[in-house]
Amino acid sequence: MQPTLRPAIHLPRVYLYCDPIDFRKSHRGLSTLIEAELGHNPFSGELYAFTNKQRNKIKCVFWEDNGFVLYYKALAEDKFKWPKRPDELVTLTDQQLNWLLDGYDINLIKPHKKLQFESVF
């Protein structure tokens, strides 16, 4: 079965907040964290992804035209493979976000490096 409700691809930017948060936070609490702690504009349209301490839930929040969109996913048995980075914020591509939602470890998925040539000779 195809996923039907996912954050749109082609978002301006996707950020992953590395530390677990209190999952009682609504879009107001998350947008306050984005503005006060990270110094970002929560109305920019960029997506911010958060997890809980058990790493079995994910919340994504972003501003869309006239209101906040809150995406929530709770896993029944497994955990999200959340990156362990020294930074509090990791930038992802929209593809990496979808891989994370599908259960992949995004630290292990690396595409082939891009090659650029000037000539065939």
Side-chain angles (χ1 to χ4, degrees):
M1 184 165 111
Q2 290 282 3
T4 55
L5 276 175
R6 286 283 174 99
I9 56 173
H10 309 301
L11 290 163
R13 191 164 282 138
V14 177
Y15 292 109
L16 195 69
Y17 190 77
C18 291
D19 293 333
I21 63 156
D22 179 351
F23 249 53
R24 294 174 289 183
K25 290 184 186 294
S26 69
H27 67 281
R28 286 190 178 99
L30 295 174
S31 59
T32 300
L33 185 151
I34 292 164
E35 186 171 357
E37 189 174 322
L38 300 175
H40 291 204
N41 179 358
F43 303 104
S44 66
E46 297 168 332
L47 183 140
Y48 293 83
F50 303 90
T51 192
N52 61 339
K53 196 179 276 191
Q54 293 80 21
R55 305 260 192 254
N56 63 347
K57 296 176 184 158
I58 191 170
K59 275 188 183 179
C60 300
V61 66
F62 62 95
W63 179 262
E64 183 181 67
D65 298 330
N66 56 4
F68 283 104
V69 175
L70 186 65
Y71 177 86
Y72 178 88
K73 183 172 182 176
L75 297 176
E77 295 183 7
D78 214 345
K79 294 180 184 251
F80 287 104
K81 312 292 190 268
W82 215 255
K84 292 182 173 107
R85 305 271 174 102
D87 303 327
E88 63 183 13
L89 205 59
V90 173
T91 304
L92 300 179
T93 65
D94 44 23
Q95 181 64 61
Q96 287 173 314
L97 175 65
N98 278 289
W99 286 337
L100 180 69
L101 292 170
D102 287 336
Y104 294 99
D105 186 338
I106 58 173
N107 289 317
L108 300 177
I109 300 173
K110 294 185 176 123
H112 293 280
K113 68 179 180 180
K114 293 185 181 186
L115 302 175
Q116 185 174 354
F117 299 100
E118 298 292 322
S119 172
V120 293
F121 298 103

